[in-house]
Amino acid sequence: MQLLERAMTITKILASKANDAGMSISELSTKCDLPLSTLHRILQAMIKQGMVVQDSQTKHYHLGTIWMEIGLQVYDSMDYISKIRVELEQLARLVGESVYLNKPADLDTIIIERIDNPTNPIRIYDQLGIRVPMHIGAANKAILAALPPQRAKEILQQLVSKEEMERIETQLEQIKAQGFAISHGERTAGTSAIAVAIFNGFGDIVGAISIGFVSFNVSTERIEQLTQQLITTGRQVSMKLGYRG
């Protein structure tokens, strides 16, 4: 079990540097708080399983392609994504911004889809697979507001102080009443997001669709346009998944 935990720690650290030039064993040793000898043995075992690769020139370590293979298999199993992708792409074209799909995962959500608009030179780039604590951001609050109040409270109790929970619960009441959530700078300074929860035919919350945009010089009218388009798309997606509520 300890070996598995250490391997997953290494994996998460390398994943956070996926767009960089990899990491040296000394950097990994510092990040993982493991002796070099122990770390080297684990890395060699991970290399054999395709979990990690080592650059022959720099000697830096990167994630292996096995993670992409597994991820794509899981992605393919989420058949509702392919079912609603047309709506997400259409929304991105209509609003000229990036569109995201978040899926609940215990106390977090995971970004499982991102549609970028190629005509917009300024993009907010959030990697697929990123976990976001449930109390942060429009997408997560849209999901929380759609949950039964007791379940939302149970989640918040594990994430925030009592004082902050009271403030967020007030926000959730407003979100539920208006049918959408909006956040400003909660994850990244200078950016905003608008989100709506989506449901399947059983009335279960599948996730949240959100539009991310740069806050600078965005008018109230623009935000209203984005909101109305998002609400329309959210309804279309939920209906396509069988929701009739």
Side-chain angles (χ1 to χ4, degrees):
M1 183 61 71
Q2 187 182 48
L3 177 60
L4 178 60
E5 291 174 350
R6 287 175 171 177
M8 287 309 299
T9 297
I10 294 167
T11 298
K12 290 176 182 178
I13 290 170
L14 288 176
S16 70
K17 301 290 184 180
N19 292 329
D20 297 334
M23 297 183 72
S24 67
I25 192 169
S26 58
E27 289 175 310
L28 274 171
S29 177
T30 301
K31 290 279 188 179
C32 299
D33 193 24
L34 288 173
L36 285 172
S37 57
T38 301
L39 180 59
H40 183 264
R41 287 197 301 272
I42 297 172
L43 286 170
Q44 291 307 304
M46 294 177 73
I47 287 172
K48 288 181 181 179
Q49 297 299 321
M51 299 164 69
V52 170
V53 294
Q54 185 180 25
D55 189 295
S56 59
Q57 294 184 337
T58 65
K59 303 302 180 183
H60 285 191
Y61 293 90
H62 307 259
L63 286 183
T65 57
I66 188 67
W67 298 108
M68 180 177 66
E69 294 169 26
I70 294 171
L72 289 172
Q73 289 170 9
V74 173
Y75 181 91
D76 192 50
S77 70
M78 298 176 182
D79 60 344
Y80 72 88
I81 296 180
S82 59
K83 191 179 292 185
I84 68 175
R85 187 176 175 85
V86 172
E87 281 74 15
L88 300 182
E89 290 176 340
Q90 182 180 35
L91 177 62
R93 286 195 301 270
L94 286 172
V95 301
E97 305 286 355
S98 294
V99 171
Y100 297 87
L101 176 63
N102 286 51
K103 176 183 172 63
D106 196 21
L107 301 181
D108 306 319
T109 65
I110 301 174
I111 299 175
I112 60 172
E113 186 61 283
R114 183 190 70 245
I115 309 293
D116 292 322
N117 187 293
T119 64
N120 191 335
I122 303 174
R123 301 182 192 175
I124 301 171
Y125 184 79
D126 285 320
Q127 280 186 314
L128 295 181
I130 286 178
R131 297 181 75 101
V132 185
M134 191 70 85
H135 65 295
I136 297 174
N140 291 359
K141 288 179 180 175
I143 291 172
L144 280 174
L147 287 171
Q150 184 57 38
R151 176 55 185 153
K153 188 169 187 174
E154 290 171 359
I155 291 172
L156 288 172
Q157 284 175 333
Q158 300 178 70
L159 294 172
V160 301
S161 66
K162 184 178 180 180
E163 293 74 19
E164 190 176 1
M165 185 167 70
E166 290 175 356
R167 178 182 61 81
I168 294 176
E169 284 181 325
T170 300
Q171 288 182 346
L172 298 184
E173 290 176 6
Q174 181 180 354
I175 291 166
K176 192 167 186 175
Q178 65 193 16
F180 67 92
I182 185 165
S183 63
H184 301 288
E186 290 193 16
R187 289 194 61 230
T188 306
T191 66
S192 296
I194 307 168
V196 294
I198 55 173
F199 306 84
N200 63 18
F202 298 100
D204 299 324
I205 300 170
V206 174
I209 300 172
S210 62
I211 300 171
F213 55 98
V214 176
S215 307
F216 175 72
N217 206 27
V218 176
S219 66
T220 302
E221 290 76 17
R222 170 63 172 161
I223 291 176
E224 289 177 355
Q225 291 172 357
L226 294 176
T227 301
Q228 290 306 311
Q229 193 62 61
L230 178 61
I231 290 173
T232 299
T233 299
R235 289 174 181 160
Q236 291 172 345
V237 166
S238 291
M239 289 178 65
K240 199 167 188 179
L241 294 175
Y243 183 63
R244 295 294 180 267

